[in-house]
Amino acid sequence: MGAFVFSRSTLLCAIFCICSIILFPEFVTAGLTRHYKFDIRLKNVTRLCKTKTIVTVNGKFPGPRVVAREGDRLVVKVVNHVSNNVSFHWHGIRQFRSGWADGPAYITQCPIQSGQSYVYNFTITGQRGTLWWHAHISWMRATLYGPLIIYPQHNASYPFDKPHKEVSIIFGEWWNANTEAVINQSHVTGAGPNVSDSYTINGLPGPLYNCSAKDTFKRKVRPGKTYMLRIINAALNDNLFFRIANHTMTVVEADAVYVKPFETDTILITPGQTTNVLLKTHHNPQQTTFVMVARPYFTGQGTFDNSTIAGILMYDHNLPGTTSSSSNTSIKYLPIPTLPPINSTSFVANFTKKFHSLANAKFPANVPQNVDKHFFFTVGLGSNPCPKNQTCQGPNNSSKFAASVNNVSMILPTTALLQSYFFRKSNGVYTSDFPSVPLVPFNYTGTPPNNTNISNGTKVVVLPYNTSVELVMQDTSVLGSESHPLHLHGYNFYVVGQGSGNFDPKKDPANYNLVDPVERNTIGVPSGGWVAIRFLANNPGVWFMHCHFEVHLSWGLRMACINVEESS
């Protein structure tokens, strides 16, 4: 048999094609299987002039960008080289028929132990846009997170002009202390955990923090160009306002779903949410450097990180846009853009109401018009009694902080719920009697009841396949009103209504938007108010719903539903 000889041009062409697939996946035909490997390793990282050992993916902080196209299959092998247990969630991926790949520990899988590995295998169906991945056990996502970018199918286009460049901006929080120690101490004392020492943009704290000017996120841009900012809030415990001085943004996507474009100079983004905006740079800017800032939105009564993170937008008339943290540009003499007041609930309500689905032939809004099952969930804080012979530092210095849905604080099982359901061995693992309404009604946003104790258990809701669901989530004033970012795994949902005060089932549904409501996977329950969502339970499996404030998740503000197949 004769040898097959590559010509120089053939070899160069092959190399070019391989490099194109790796570097420019947005130009590759859809339907590929893309392989990633996550090696979980320790690494020493210095921030705020303090060095500590953190858990990373492939030694990177934040973690690597995962890129695919609508219709692609992702195969991610995770190998755990550290002593901590880990698991990973692909936030916003619907996981049709791939519930084992969803990731929350003790819900769809047992965590990956030290020295062990697990392969996440799923196909991206009917989704495109900006999502993200993160650890889903304890507070490990403090350092284990990264962007998940899904490009449209081959030859499909954005419903807006293609931007000149795309930039990922991912907010996080940084603790000088070990975050596992922080939450473990909170569990022992019953008090709130110590707050973060800074916020970060792409892992960098920025010049407004001591000893951090050299660790500043900077983005070079060219005049007269349009940039798409893929903004992700990976912070553990804080909603964030974001603004760029002297610039307007056009919001075009939320949680990987296109929206009717609208302009704003400030956005609000909760933990778990993603927002794509178009930034049009000035043709002839009077200055070349502009400050971008983010700061919390907070209405609760506890402590929080009341600091501001800053980055820099730099105009460059000669070079293509690049990211850098090594420039010596100082913000000392630059104007800092003004953000809404920290407790500006009115701004948040008005901003949230600007989001609408495209609701056109290509991107329809398939809002359930008729509802099979109604749920009314109260979400908020509460307390657990202090154990005997122990001193607690929670409410009234005599109890422990807790959080709940319909006064049930979820206890995570030791066997994953999906495993228990799949093998029909639920006895002793969970019960299917989660209350569809509060068992003890009260004035949810008025004077809170004297008894703030909550119940504890592992209860689930069972939903038959293809059930149309309406869920109203009501904030409570127990231990303080607060906006809770609720994330639903396994589904997108339509936000059909929201309001302040107590939900009125006789009057409020008349004002629902059933034509073009925004479609999301994470929504902030208004502080002192309510939000109504609708979705079709057409994804068999076990699906988690929880507050995306990590502290509230740790305190039990979580529940699960089982979408039962017709043959089950």
Side-chain angles (χ1 to χ4, degrees):
M1 182 182 291
F4 183 82
V5 179
F6 280 104
S7 68
R8 177 180 176 84
S9 60
T10 302
L11 181 61
L12 289 175
C13 182
I15 293 173
F16 174 79
C17 291
I18 293 171
C19 292
S20 296
I21 292 173
I22 296 172
L23 298 176
F24 305 103
E26 59 269 40
F27 298 111
V28 181
T29 302
L32 297 179
T33 296
R34 301 180 186 270
H35 293 268
Y36 286 85
K37 186 178 180 183
F38 279 17
D39 281 309
I40 312 306
R41 299 186 183 276
L42 299 177
K43 183 178 183 180
N44 289 334
V45 173
T46 301
R47 296 290 186 271
L48 308 177
C49 277
K50 295 183 182 296
T51 301
K52 74 170 186 176
T53 302
I54 66 172
V55 182
T56 68
V57 171
N58 300 343
K60 297 182 178 181
F61 172 68
R65 190 177 69 143
V66 173
V67 180
R69 183 184 293 281
E70 180 184 351
D72 284 352
R73 177 172 165 241
L74 278 175
V75 179
V76 185
K77 182 177 182 179
V78 178
V79 183
N80 188 6
H81 302 280
V82 303
S83 60
N84 307 79
N85 291 345
V86 297
S87 70
F88 286 89
H89 174 50
W90 317 94
H91 188 110
I93 295 292
R94 294 288 307 277
Q95 299 292 0
F96 285 114
R97 303 289 179 175
S98 55
W100 303 100
D102 194 45
Y106 303 109
I107 305 298
T108 60
Q109 71 172 96
C110 291
I112 309 166
Q113 298 180 7
S114 179
Q116 301 298 309
S117 64
Y118 188 84
V119 177
Y120 294 92
N121 187 339
F122 56 92
T123 299
I124 300 168
T125 304
Q127 293 183 275
R128 82 292 303 165
T130 302
L131 294 172
W132 63 301
W133 59 263
H134 61 82
H136 213 306
I137 181 171
S138 191
W139 280 26
M140 297 296 291
R141 78 172 177 91
T143 58
L144 295 176
Y145 62 85
L148 172 53
I149 309 301
I150 307 168
Y151 288 98
Q153 288 182 333
H154 191 59
N155 294 327
S157 59
Y158 297 126
F160 45 81
D161 291 337
K162 185 176 180 180
H164 171 65
K165 295 284 184 180
E166 300 178 5
V167 183
S168 294
I169 294 179
I170 186 163
F171 295 112
E173 284 185 90
W174 175 265
W175 277 259
N176 288 328
N178 181 294
T179 49
E180 291 303 284
V182 169
I183 185 56
N184 288 339
Q185 181 187 33
S186 173
H187 285 320
V188 171
T189 65
N194 293 336
V195 301
S196 54
D197 294 285
S198 74
Y199 297 104
T200 59
I201 301 178
N202 291 8
L204 302 172
L208 299 183
Y209 296 102
N210 290 334
C211 194
S212 192
K214 65 181 179 60
D215 293 323
T216 300
F217 172 77
K218 301 183 177 76
R219 175 68 201 191
K220 290 183 179 180
V221 296
R222 302 187 70 176
K225 299 292 185 180
T226 298
Y227 292 80
M228 183 160 72
L229 308 184
R230 298 180 178 269
I231 304 171
I232 303 165
N233 188 352
L236 265 67
N237 295 314
D238 289 286
N239 303 307
L240 294 172
F241 295 117
F242 173 67
R243 184 176 183 180
I244 302 175
N246 290 37
H247 286 75
T248 299
M249 298 172 281
T250 302
V251 177
V252 294
E253 181 192 300
D255 292 354
V257 180
Y258 299 130
V259 299
K260 288 185 170 71
F262 67 90
E263 291 189 355
T264 183
D265 60 12
T266 304
I267 71 165
L268 182 281
I269 185 168
T270 78
Q273 288 184 339
T274 64
T275 305
N276 282 7
V277 302
L278 299 181
L279 176 73
K280 293 185 178 180
T281 58
H282 304 309
H283 286 277
N284 296 294
Q286 295 182 345
Q287 63 190 70
T288 58
T289 307
F290 299 86
V291 179
M292 60 179 78
V293 292
R295 192 190 62 200
Y297 159 62
F298 182 77
T299 62
Q301 296 183 358
T303 57
F304 67 103
D305 184 351
N306 185 17
S307 64
T308 301
I309 174 73
I312 294 178
L313 187 76
M314 306 168 61
Y315 277 72
D316 193 318
H317 293 263
N318 301 310
L319 300 175
T322 57
T323 51
S324 170
S325 62
S326 60
S327 171
N328 294 322
T329 301
S330 170
I331 69 168
K332 184 176 181 180
Y333 302 106
L334 296 174
I336 306 296
T338 301
L339 291 169
I342 284 176
N343 62 351
S344 186
T345 297
S346 59
F347 174 90
V348 173
N350 291 332
F351 177 75
T352 304
K353 291 175 181 177
K354 293 180 181 179
F355 287 83
H356 294 270
S357 293
L358 288 181
N360 57 26
K362 189 174 182 180
F363 302 104
N366 296 316
V367 190
Q369 300 296 309
N370 299 303
V371 175
D372 299 321
K373 184 66 176 177
H374 291 264
F375 293 93
F376 181 77
F377 288 177
T378 55
V379 295
L381 304 185
S383 62
N384 275 324
C386 188
K388 292 182 179 180
N389 302 320
Q390 182 178 333
T391 301
C392 293
Q393 301 172 16
N396 301 317
N397 286 323
S398 61
S399 60
K400 290 189 171 187
F401 274 108
S404 67
V405 181
N406 273 357
N407 207 47
V408 178
S409 183
M410 183 182 186
I411 299 174
L412 290 179
T414 55
T415 302
L417 294 180
L418 181 58
Q419 177 182 338
S420 302
Y421 163 66
F422 186 82
F423 290 105
R424 302 180 187 274
K425 294 182 178 181
S426 62
N427 188 31
V429 179
Y430 67 85
T431 59
S432 56
D433 57 347
F434 190 92
S436 59
V437 296
L439 298 181
V440 181
F442 62 98
N443 183 2
Y444 306 114
T445 56
T447 302
N450 293 327
N451 183 1
T452 63
N453 289 345
I454 61 176
S455 63
N456 302 278
T458 309
K459 303 173 183 287
V460 303
V461 166
V462 177
L463 291 173
Y465 183 75
N466 260 353
T467 299
S468 57
V469 177
E470 178 177 306
L471 168 59
V472 176
M473 292 179 282
Q474 172 74 61
D475 182 37
T476 75
S477 58
V478 178
L479 301 182
S481 297
E482 192 169 352
S483 175
H484 298 275
L486 265 292
H487 172 48
L488 178 61
H489 292 227
Y491 306 98
N492 279 0
F493 52 77
Y494 291 96
V495 183
V496 297
Q498 61 179 313
S500 60
N502 295 336
F503 174 74
D504 187 332
K506 295 181 179 179
K507 296 181 180 179
D508 288 325
N511 297 317
Y512 281 175
N513 175 9
L514 302 179
V515 177
D516 64 348
V518 67
E519 182 182 351
R520 307 204 71 138
N521 63 60
T522 305
I523 187 65
V525 179
S527 177
W530 57 271
V531 64
I533 66 173
R534 287 188 180 184
F535 64 95
L536 184 64
N538 60 351
N539 192 7
V542 179
W543 306 111
F544 206 23
M545 190 185 83
H546 61 92
C547 182
H548 228 281
F549 287 154
E550 212 68 15
V551 58
H552 294 172
L553 174 60
S554 301
W555 287 342
L557 209 167
R558 53 199 178 194
M559 58 83 62
C561 70
I562 299 178
N563 192 188
V564 180
E565 295 187 73
E566 293 173 297
S567 59
S568 295

